[in-house]
Amino acid sequence: MPLLHRLKIWQKLALLVAVLGLPIGLLTYLLMAEKNLAIDFAYQEIRGTQYLQPVRTLLQHIAEHRGLSSTYLDGDASFREKITAKQDQLVADLTAMDAVDAQLGNTLQSNDSWPTIKTDWKNLKMAVFNLTAKDSFARHTALIGKLLDLTLYISITSNLVLDPEPETYYLMDIAINRIPILTERLGQLRAMAAGIIARHQFMENDHINLSKGLGQIEMMRTNLQGSLEAVFQANEMLKPVLGTQQAAFATSTDVFLSAVEQLARSDQVGPTLSPSAIFGAGTQAITAGFSLYDAAIPVLQDLLQNRIHTLNKKELITLAGVLAAVLLALLFAYGIGRLLVQ
């Protein structure tokens, strides 16, 4: 080629290095793009955990409101003040949810899910004292179902359900899937048991519903235990971090379920049974469950942050290595060219 003949030797060597560097540059670009995708993926997961924090609080407090309302509407007037206090607490919960939805809703494509849930809650709050216990339970449960649907939806749009690492995947499974659904079943059982005791009699299907709830909860506890064991198998260092909350949840749940099982086996509601006692036992178990949630989420976030840090570090090392190699190749070509010219 005439053009090549006109080039000096060092220029030819430089051109050769540049041509050989093109595929290296392309591979480097693809590698950097892949790592950046993984970094963005992890950041999106963190946004998902941040969005779901106030959702978790709403799940706990609306379930408590359901139990308090059921007990009041079934005949225990002492629960009315507790309902009002819980409604006041929920005002702050709604404010926190408004803030996180405004901050992250578009990024996580929450659409109009939260405004719809918020409107449903306001309507329920205004109507609750005029409902029957059955209708109140149904409307509360439907509202909580929407919060659980929102939790699942955000876990998808935030990539949480697609997490690629075993320890973080199972931590996600515990916090996003296992605990919210298990505590909801415990909350339903709490409301049913406290309502039965408040009205001092069993209604049709009460025994069946209690037994069914007990069976479902035992199955869910087994699934939760399986996910926890998977986390500990992937990272033994997490067992001391989560083990205390795990044990507290198991113990308090055993106490509550034992009381409900005794009630389910009874033909009549004993005069010594107290709605406040059964409600308190259920609340203690549910609170312990959410304490496990609260312990798991920071661990998950820390692991995701560590993954991002590691990916950034690898990205910088790779880029530095490629640049150093290119620079050395150019210097080598220049040196050979100078020797040939001399």
Side-chain angles (χ1 to χ4, degrees):
M1 297 176 65
L3 178 61
L4 291 177
H5 290 303
R6 289 197 294 269
L7 294 177
K8 296 180 179 180
I9 293 177
W10 73 268
Q11 291 175 326
K12 293 179 181 178
L13 290 172
L15 179 61
L16 177 62
V17 170
V19 170
L20 293 175
L22 283 176
I24 296 175
L26 177 61
L27 290 174
T28 302
Y29 169 78
L30 293 175
L31 182 60
M32 293 299 103
E34 182 181 358
K35 291 189 180 300
N36 284 331
L37 283 174
I39 291 170
D40 292 340
F41 192 97
Y43 272 126
Q44 187 75 342
E45 288 188 78
I46 292 174
R47 295 185 193 102
T49 62
Q50 293 170 341
Y51 188 97
L52 291 175
Q53 283 290 93
V55 177
R56 158 256 182 275
T57 305
L58 282 168
L59 284 168
Q60 182 177 5
H61 291 163
I62 290 178
E64 288 177 359
H65 189 272
R66 173 183 56 197
L68 295 169
S69 301
S70 292
T71 308
Y72 169 78
L73 294 170
D74 271 320
D76 193 328
S78 68
F79 274 67
R80 187 181 182 100
E81 290 184 3
K82 297 177 183 179
I83 295 171
T84 304
K86 187 58 60 178
Q87 290 175 351
D88 292 340
Q89 186 180 28
L90 279 158
V91 172
D93 297 343
L94 265 63
T95 301
M97 190 66 218
D98 283 337
V100 78
D101 189 65
Q103 179 186 1
L104 299 173
N106 289 335
T107 304
L108 296 172
Q109 306 170 37
S110 65
N111 301 321
D112 295 327
S113 298
W114 167 239
T116 301
I117 293 171
K118 184 178 178 181
T119 299
D120 288 349
W121 160 249
K122 289 182 175 180
N123 292 336
L124 177 57
K125 177 183 174 182
M126 290 188 295
V128 68
F129 290 113
N130 298 316
L131 297 174
T132 64
K134 181 179 179 180
D135 288 341
S136 173
F137 183 92
R139 287 181 61 172
H140 278 90
T141 302
L143 180 59
I144 293 170
K146 290 184 179 181
L147 284 169
L148 291 172
D149 289 342
L150 177 60
T151 298
L152 176 60
Y153 180 78
I154 295 299
S155 71
I156 294 171
T157 61
S158 66
N159 303 326
L160 280 165
V161 296
L162 300 175
D163 188 275
E165 301 293 334
E167 58 183 348
T168 43
Y169 175 83
Y170 284 108
L171 275 172
M172 175 283 303
D173 184 53
I174 289 166
I176 306 305
N177 294 324
R178 305 298 183 191
I179 293 177
I181 296 175
L182 174 53
T183 52
E184 164 55 6
R185 292 294 183 270
L186 287 168
Q188 291 181 18
L189 200 62
R190 173 183 60 187
M192 286 190 288
I196 291 169
I197 297 172
R199 64 175 179 263
H200 304 294
Q201 62 176 331
F202 288 100
M203 304 293 285
E204 186 180 3
N205 295 327
D206 277 347
H207 286 94
I208 294 175
N209 290 332
L210 290 175
S211 298
K212 181 180 177 181
L214 288 166
Q216 290 175 336
I217 287 169
E218 286 300 335
M219 181 175 63
M220 292 176 183
R221 293 179 73 187
T222 300
N223 293 335
L224 173 61
Q225 182 63 30
S227 293
L228 282 165
E229 289 176 358
V231 169
F232 301 150
Q233 184 175 2
N235 188 341
E236 292 182 356
M237 296 179 65
L238 296 181
K239 191 166 187 177
V241 179
L242 302 177
T244 301
Q245 288 80 8
Q246 176 192 9
F249 186 29
T251 300
S252 57
T253 301
D254 285 340
V255 172
F256 173 60
L257 295 182
S258 178
V260 174
E261 185 176 359
Q262 185 176 359
L263 177 65
R265 291 178 176 178
S266 303
D267 295 328
Q268 296 180 343
V269 178
T272 60
L273 294 177
S274 164
S276 295
I278 197 76
F279 190 91
T283 300
Q284 187 173 358
I286 293 168
T287 300
F290 280 115
S291 294
L292 178 57
Y293 178 105
D294 294 337
I297 286 296
V299 173
L300 174 58
Q301 291 173 335
D302 287 345
L303 289 171
L304 290 171
Q305 288 286 5
N306 289 340
R307 184 190 303 169
I308 292 169
H309 176 74
T310 300
L311 288 169
N312 279 324
K313 186 177 179 180
K314 288 181 178 179
E315 190 176 54
L316 289 174
I317 291 173
T318 301
L319 186 59
V322 170
L323 291 175
V326 171
L327 181 61
L328 286 173
L330 289 173
L331 290 174
F332 183 70
Y334 177 74
I336 293 177
R338 290 290 300 272
L339 288 173
L340 292 174
V341 168
Q342 294 175 357

